[in-house]
Amino acid sequence: MMWRSELCETETGKLTAAKAFLLDAAMLLHRYGTPSHRLERVMCKVASSLGIESVFLYTPTALVISMKDADEETTVVRRVDSGEVHVDKLFRADEVLERLERKEISIEQAKDQLQQIDQSAPPYPFVVYAAACAASCAALAVLFHGSLVELVAALLIGLCVAGIERVQSGLGRQRSLLQPVAGFVAAVVSLAIARFIVPLDDRLVTLAGLIVLIPGLSLTVALTELAVGHLSAGVARLAGALVSLMTLFLGVAIAWRFAPNWRVLPEHPADTPVWWQWIALIVVPIAFAIVFQARMAQWPVIVAVAMLGILVSRSVLPYYGVEVASFAAALAVGCGSNLYARLRNRPALIALTPAMIVLVPGAFGYRSLSALLDHQTIEGVEFGFHTVLIAMCLVGGLLTSNAVVPPKRIL
């Protein structure tokens, strides 16, 4: 990202330091995964503190900003790409913006600090990130009632997916290539293990191994944006999530057609012990906390909020079904995150994002496409319907939590 000095004259005409800062800050928050309804509100608040009347229009691929001060009104349009959620950088950027609002630092100091945040290294080296991806895949295999063999296979595929992501990033290739390549590799590896090493449920292993790339969180965020009236951002993000899911499954489908005779299921499927499920439930939020670049000091609240949502979901599910359980779990996660934000004066997104990843229905969307490919049309439609229904229940729970425990901070 190019950071401006006092005046920017080449692309946007003359921008004062305050307007240039607002543009840069909005692009930074955009690139690190801030939802549209939160980004627009927080940037309007910062602009107001600087004496600038502003309107921010955000979509996953575009940023339109209109800024008006005593001298003139300026409108800026930027083509941008929304990145993955980066909890640590969002947390640090929010602190800088809050200090600027309170007049504790100048615009120039805030600009320098945001530049340092933008250029700072991730809190974890790639080896730790890859291990977290592998651990999350293995834990999901346990939660899907896989055997020990399937757990190990999912772990290996998680490492492969992390490696593919690293190679794609290093080569500077388009991220759109990551999904089909990763899907193909995951499916081929699981089929090869079943054919040449030990029989296993390759469908379960492939799903668990790709869980980091399945866009369940993007789907939920998109429906949240639609529910709060951010239609352009919500529709764009929803379309992006569906296309990502389909391109991911495209690679899987090609692998299934490439090696149709490699599938060997175990004669006597073995489940893992029940207590492994509880270990997996603790591992998953920690692993996703690392994937979303949350620092270790934030792990306790992330695990606490995630476990609260899981316990609520499992307690409600036997009595009222998956829809009410999803709503109640999202309500608990939202209230817990907002309560943490109020007590510690921190962004609710720190706990909310990693905790919600355990609840989002991305696996149902994957299973819907899988069933349709196997010509199980009714089952595929049912899975697709459940995907949307559960996502809407999660959105309803999150919106209700904002009314029950109003968040102190916008982020």
Side-chain angles (χ1 to χ4, degrees):
M1 180 171 137
M2 181 173 61
W3 286 85
R4 298 161 183 81
S5 57
E6 290 297 322
L7 293 175
C8 178
E9 299 182 351
T10 56
E11 298 178 352
T12 61
K14 289 188 176 181
L15 285 181
T16 64
K19 291 180 179 179
F21 171 80
L22 290 173
L23 176 58
D24 288 333
M27 293 179 67
L28 184 144
L29 293 179
H30 180 282
R31 190 161 65 254
Y32 293 122
T34 308
S36 66
H37 56 290
R38 294 181 183 268
L39 184 146
E40 294 177 12
R41 288 171 57 201
V42 73
M43 290 310 304
C44 286
K45 183 180 177 184
V46 174
S48 178
S49 70
L50 298 177
I52 297 176
E53 182 181 348
S54 64
V55 175
F56 289 80
L57 176 62
Y58 157 86
T59 73
T61 57
L63 191 61
V64 182
I65 307 174
S66 178
M67 298 172 285
K68 181 179 180 181
D69 55 18
D71 298 326
E72 61 179 355
E73 181 173 359
T74 305
T75 300
V76 181
V77 180
R78 283 288 182 273
R79 171 66 170 85
V80 290
D81 291 318
S82 180
E84 299 297 322
V85 175
H86 197 302
V87 171
D88 180 58
K89 291 189 176 182
L90 285 178
F91 165 61
R92 293 160 61 192
D94 184 66
E95 283 190 326
V96 172
L97 295 179
E98 185 184 28
R99 293 179 63 196
L100 178 64
E101 290 179 46
R102 296 199 302 255
K103 311 298 183 184
E104 295 179 2
I105 57 176
S106 65
I107 293 176
E108 189 66 28
Q109 290 174 320
K111 184 191 74 171
D112 292 340
Q113 291 180 23
L114 287 184
Q115 184 176 8
Q116 293 173 6
I117 293 170
D118 188 40
Q119 297 174 352
S120 63
Y124 305 103
F126 172 74
V127 174
V128 176
Y129 173 83
C133 290
S136 64
C137 296
L140 264 297
V142 174
L143 295 179
F144 292 154
H145 302 284
S147 65
L148 178 61
V149 172
E150 290 157 350
L151 180 155
V152 174
L155 186 147
L156 293 175
I157 291 175
L159 288 175
C160 292
V161 170
I164 294 171
E165 188 175 7
R166 179 64 177 266
V167 171
Q168 175 267 335
S169 177
L171 295 177
R173 303 296 183 185
Q174 292 183 354
R175 187 172 175 81
S176 57
L177 295 175
L178 172 64
Q179 282 87 0
V181 172
F184 178 82
V185 171
V188 166
V189 170
S190 61
L191 286 169
I193 293 174
R195 176 67 177 83
F196 299 106
I197 300 178
V198 58
L200 51 74
D201 186 347
D202 63 283
R203 300 299 199 254
L204 183 151
V205 171
T206 302
L207 173 58
L210 292 173
I211 201 67
V212 175
L213 297 181
I214 292 178
L217 182 62
S218 296
L219 174 64
T220 304
V221 172
L223 294 176
T224 302
E225 291 172 337
L226 290 172
V228 297
H230 291 253
L231 303 183
S232 57
V235 170
R237 195 184 301 276
L238 179 61
L242 294 177
V243 170
S244 294
L245 180 61
M246 287 188 287
T247 54
L248 181 69
F249 190 76
L250 172 64
V252 175
I254 292 175
W256 289 352
R257 294 295 184 258
F258 173 76
N261 299 322
W262 286 11
R263 192 178 193 201
V264 181
L265 295 174
E267 294 183 3
H268 304 287
D271 198 354
T272 51
V274 176
W275 58 271
W276 283 36
Q277 298 269 327
W278 292 104
I279 295 177
L281 290 174
I282 297 175
V283 170
V284 167
I286 295 177
F288 278 109
I290 297 175
V291 170
F292 290 130
Q293 306 295 331
R295 293 191 179 273
M296 192 176 297
Q298 297 154 356
W299 289 6
V301 66
I302 290 173
V303 173
V305 172
M307 289 300 296
L308 175 63
I310 292 168
L311 291 175
V312 170
S313 176
R314 294 201 165 198
S315 299
V316 175
L317 181 62
Y319 301 100
Y320 300 104
V322 65
E323 297 84 5
V324 178
S326 298
F327 176 89
L331 176 62
V333 168
C335 289
S337 300
N338 291 344
L339 183 61
Y340 162 76
R342 293 187 67 87
L343 294 177
R344 298 297 302 275
N345 196 29
R346 295 287 188 267
L349 284 178
I350 290 176
L352 182 65
T353 303
M356 282 299 297
I357 200 69
V358 185
L359 304 176
V360 293
F364 280 98
Y366 175 93
R367 287 173 172 172
S368 173
L369 295 178
S370 176
L372 291 173
L373 183 67
D374 291 336
H375 304 290
Q376 299 174 356
T377 306
I378 295 178
E379 186 177 353
V381 172
E382 288 180 349
F383 275 129
F385 176 74
H386 279 298
T387 301
V388 177
L389 183 60
I390 292 173
M392 288 305 303
C393 291
L394 294 175
V395 171
L398 290 177
L399 295 180
T400 305
S401 70
N402 291 334
V404 175
V405 183
K408 188 175 182 180
R409 304 281 287 273
I410 297 175
L411 290 182

